Amino acid sequence: MTSDGQSTLRQLHSTLEAAGDLAYIWDLASDALEWHGATMTGFGGSHAAAIVTGKGFAERIHPEDRSLRESRLEASAARGDFFECEYRLSDESGATIWVQDHGRAELAADGSPQRLMGVLRLVTDRKLEQLRLERLANHDELTGHFNRTRLREVLNRAVSSSLRSGRPGAYLAIGIDKLGTVNDAFGYQIADEVIIEIGRRLDRQFRGGDVMGRVGGDRFGIVLSNCPPENLASLAEKILALIGQAQITTSAGPLYATVSIGGVCFPEQGMDGFDVMTRAETALAEAKRAGRDCFAAYRVAKAQQRQQRSDIALGEGVQRALKEDRLVFAYQPVVNSESGAVAYHECLLRMIAEDGSIVSAAAFVPVIEQLGFIRLLDRYVLERAVSEASQHPECALAFNISGLTATDHAWLRFLVSLLRDRPEVARQLVIEITETAALHDIQESARFVGTLRELGCRVALDDFGAGFTSFRYMQALDVDIVKIDGSFVRNLAENSDNQIFLRHLVGLADAFGLITVAECVESARDAAILRQEGVRFLQGYHFGRPTLEQPWHAVQKAVTPQAARRRSIAAS
């Protein structure tokens, strides 16, 4: 090597040393491994020269991480591009470190991989901090059990599974009695020791399929899968005996502790994790009022039980209707306030019951939301609306999605997959989100709306005026249309206060160049006032009731989007 080449190599070594990085060149044919830069001292206690082959280095990689590294390297070798992965290395003493491996494959003339060249960077501190934060996000720092948020996620899944399978489950809220007295008498460290030991005893009591978490300072929660209601009391008695009959060894000496327990069975006594936890806490409070060291089951009135069973049956009926294609659209026209011409139709969901009767969405959507199936329903509505628009390019359709779906990334990804390469279909769609749902998380809603508009869809803010609309919120959301809430429109001619409020809403919409739609218009007098106030489009029984027939012949081209940022619906 020339003196210039040696100088360049020394400079490279110095640069890598200064950065604390370790470069390598791995000859795949000979398996020879050449190192440059930082020594291996910081990478596991050995000098780089001690590892001279690719096989020798692979033996230092943690067994659980080898397949990840191998797959990344193979993909890079096949494509000839860069790879990056993080994995654990072990030195001769067994110490473990984390490294980031970044490099690329060098291909021979025939396209086969010849060498791999890369750089290792020590990332142990960052990785350990990342793992710690991830653990804290899901686990209680004192006991190592799931925290309240994570346990509620488990409980939500358990309730949903129970609804689908018909197998009952249960949830126990377990509170340590008079833990505050222990804290006052001996200090928080001794109280912590009591909490930890009770957590250990509870761990030993439950089956592998049960999940436990610490949901508060003195409380644990346990999700019991496949637990019949008749078994709950006997299980609780076993827990009471397990905790109360043996002393707890602490740094301050032996102590006795007891617990109180509240129990809830699901799905009969709770449709989601929040309901179940809340009702278990109610039962726990009852057990404490009864003298502590006892169990109380949550009890509901017979009327409530009948309603819950009816809701579950309705939910099962909707699921069957989905499978049997008995969920359909009823179409209601939205008309131009000046000409009366139909601009587009709103798709209102209806269920054809097994006896042939038509069931309105208002009768089953609130129950479906409680049962946790609303995202499934909204996905169906999206698929059906896109299918209708694709088959009938002359129509324009609006449909409503739930508040939960308005921030559901999975639903949005599905929408993008359907419309990414079909802007002509996207332009036929108006997607309505409620004002109250949009304002619940304004930043997330703004991102959601932005994605819809980028695809070409129009976005309407439903129930406009029912929430806490402000100029700041309107600016952030950047929607196309606002639908004035029907409560301000019904009997408008007889309500002067609503007329004043309506004028304020229309003025706010006009200030942002938004199209206004009034729903629930039921009389010619109301329609005349709305027209006079400048509302652009009207919807209600006065102009047409929802119909299961597809009235595409009435659809005008009034909703064709214009190139301007604020596309307006042109009058027919």
Side-chain angles (χ1 to χ4, degrees):
M1 181 181 294
T2 66
S3 59
D4 288 343
Q6 290 177 341
S7 175
T8 301
L9 186 58
R10 284 195 299 271
Q11 290 177 358
L12 175 61
H13 275 278
S14 298
T15 302
L16 290 167
E17 288 273 8
D21 294 339
L22 183 65
Y24 65 86
I25 302 174
W26 179 16
D27 186 283
L28 298 178
S30 65
D31 198 34
L33 197 56
E34 178 184 338
W35 299 99
H36 301 277
T39 66
M40 284 294 285
T41 303
F43 289 85
S46 302
H47 194 277
I51 306 174
V52 296
T53 64
K55 180 180 179 182
F57 182 73
E59 291 174 350
R60 298 291 182 91
I61 299 175
H62 194 286
E64 294 178 2
D65 298 341
R66 288 174 189 164
S67 60
L68 169 65
R69 178 176 179 265
E70 289 171 1
S71 64
R72 297 287 174 85
L73 295 183
E74 288 172 1
S76 173
R79 299 190 305 266
D81 62 0
F82 287 95
F83 65 86
E84 182 177 334
C85 59
E86 294 180 355
Y87 51 85
R88 289 163 288 182
L89 288 175
S90 299
D91 66 7
E92 295 170 353
S93 67
T96 300
I97 59 169
W98 279 91
V99 296
Q100 181 188 65
D101 192 351
H102 183 84
R104 68 171 299 168
E106 184 180 273
L107 304 182
D110 62 358
S112 62
Q114 185 175 5
R115 295 191 298 177
L116 282 170
M117 297 173 291
V119 175
L120 295 181
R121 171 164 291 179
L122 192 65
V123 293
T124 304
D125 291 344
R126 174 179 64 77
K127 195 68 178 182
L128 292 178
E129 177 64 12
Q130 177 185 334
L131 293 172
R132 187 185 73 85
L133 292 175
E134 288 175 357
R135 180 169 180 79
L136 287 178
N138 293 287
H139 294 80
D140 171 57
E141 192 170 14
L142 178 64
T143 65
H145 295 104
F146 281 163
N147 58 23
R148 186 183 188 91
T149 301
R150 187 71 177 87
L151 190 67
R152 185 186 293 175
E153 292 175 0
V154 172
L155 184 55
N156 277 329
R157 290 197 297 270
V159 174
S160 296
S161 176
S162 181
L163 284 165
R164 290 192 301 270
S165 66
R167 290 192 295 270
Y171 175 76
L172 296 177
I174 302 174
I176 303 173
D177 294 331
K178 298 186 177 180
L179 186 65
T181 302
V182 175
N183 189 73
D184 293 340
F186 300 102
Y188 73 90
Q189 291 180 330
I190 303 304
D192 284 351
E193 291 179 21
V194 172
I195 293 169
I196 292 169
E197 176 56 26
I198 288 178
R200 287 172 181 163
R201 293 185 185 184
L202 292 172
D203 266 338
R204 294 193 293 269
Q205 175 67 32
F206 294 101
R207 306 162 296 177
D210 301 329
V211 182
M212 176 178 160
R214 185 180 177 211
V215 298
D218 62 350
R219 298 193 306 287
F220 292 92
I222 300 173
V223 180
L224 304 169
S225 58
N226 196 20
C227 178
E230 59 269 19
N231 294 353
L232 195 57
S234 60
L235 178 58
E237 292 299 330
K238 290 179 182 178
I239 296 172
L240 294 172
L242 175 72
I243 303 300
Q245 291 180 1
Q247 63 185 17
I248 296 174
T249 301
T250 72
S251 302
L255 296 174
Y256 283 92
T258 61
V259 297
S260 300
I261 305 174
V264 172
C265 296
F266 57 77
E268 204 171 71
Q269 295 180 330
M271 298 300 186
D272 60 29
F274 180 81
D275 286 343
V276 170
M277 278 188 167
T278 301
R279 291 166 182 177
E281 293 286 346
T282 300
L284 173 60
E286 183 182 335
K288 288 183 177 293
R289 286 194 299 269
R292 297 184 173 84
D293 191 22
C294 65
F295 166 71
Y298 179 78
R299 304 187 186 282
V300 295
K302 290 184 177 180
Q304 288 176 299
Q305 287 182 329
R306 285 194 298 270
Q307 183 60 53
Q308 289 168 353
R309 288 169 183 158
S310 173
D311 288 347
I312 292 173
L314 179 58
E316 292 172 348
V318 174
Q319 287 183 301
R320 286 195 302 273
L322 268 172
K323 294 177 181 177
E324 298 168 7
D325 201 27
R326 288 188 285 106
L327 289 177
V328 298
F329 282 155
Y331 306 93
Q332 186 172 34
V334 178
V335 306
N336 184 288
S337 62
E338 294 293 338
S339 67
V342 175
Y344 63 94
H345 287 85
E346 182 173 2
C347 302
L348 303 169
L349 198 61
R350 298 289 186 265
M351 180 173 67
I352 301 176
E354 293 176 344
D355 63 2
S357 60
I358 305 300
V359 182
S360 169
F364 61 85
V365 166
V367 174
I368 294 303
E369 286 183 329
Q370 288 185 4
L371 295 176
F373 299 144
I374 193 62
R375 288 184 176 91
L376 181 65
L377 206 59
D378 280 346
R379 187 182 178 104
Y380 173 83
V381 167
L382 171 61
E383 285 185 291
R384 193 174 188 96
V386 170
S387 175
E388 294 279 4
S390 301
Q391 295 175 42
H392 304 282
E394 72 276 18
C395 76
L397 302 174
F399 60 91
N400 192 282
I401 59 174
S402 72
L404 288 174
T405 299
T407 54
D408 181 15
H409 294 282
W411 187 90
L412 187 59
R413 286 194 297 270
F414 182 59
L415 171 69
V416 171
S417 70
L418 290 177
L419 298 177
R420 182 187 290 112
D421 300 320
R422 305 164 76 185
E424 72 286 351
V425 176
R427 286 192 290 268
Q428 293 174 250
L429 302 178
V430 178
I431 299 176
E432 300 180 3
I433 59 175
T434 63
E435 179 185 2
T436 49
L439 300 186
H440 179 70
D441 187 340
I442 191 70
Q443 291 182 337
E444 187 67 28
S445 297
R447 285 192 289 270
F448 184 87
V449 169
T451 301
L452 296 179
R453 297 187 74 237
E454 285 174 8
L455 289 169
C457 300
R458 305 172 65 80
V459 184
L461 193 64
D462 201 6
D463 301 337
F464 182 56
F468 304 95
T469 309
S470 72
F471 281 93
R472 181 170 63 88
Y473 289 148
M474 296 302 299
Q475 193 172 27
L477 284 174
D478 198 29
V479 297
D480 302 281
I481 301 168
V482 289
K483 294 189 69 175
I484 299 169
D485 186 70
S487 62
F488 305 118
V489 176
R490 293 187 187 92
N491 301 317
L492 182 65
E494 287 78 34
N495 192 320
S496 57
D497 289 341
N498 278 2
Q499 293 177 30
I500 295 171
F501 191 65
L502 172 74
R503 191 170 299 125
H504 166 75
L505 291 178
V506 173
L508 180 61
D510 288 344
F512 285 92
L514 299 173
I515 297 166
T516 48
V517 178
E519 57 185 0
C520 301
V521 183
E522 298 179 355
S523 71
R525 291 180 64 199
D526 292 344
I529 294 173
L530 292 163
R531 187 182 307 111
Q532 182 179 350
E533 294 296 339
V535 177
R536 294 285 303 280
F537 293 93
L538 307 177
Q539 176 183 1
Y541 287 174
H542 179 65
F543 300 99
R545 292 178 176 268
T547 174
L548 299 183
E549 300 296 326
Q550 296 179 334
W552 307 136
H553 60 278
V555 176
Q556 307 297 318
K557 298 185 184 298
V559 292
T560 302
Q562 305 301 315
R565 176 180 175 275
R566 285 294 177 194
R567 298 164 297 176
S568 63
I569 300 178
S572 299

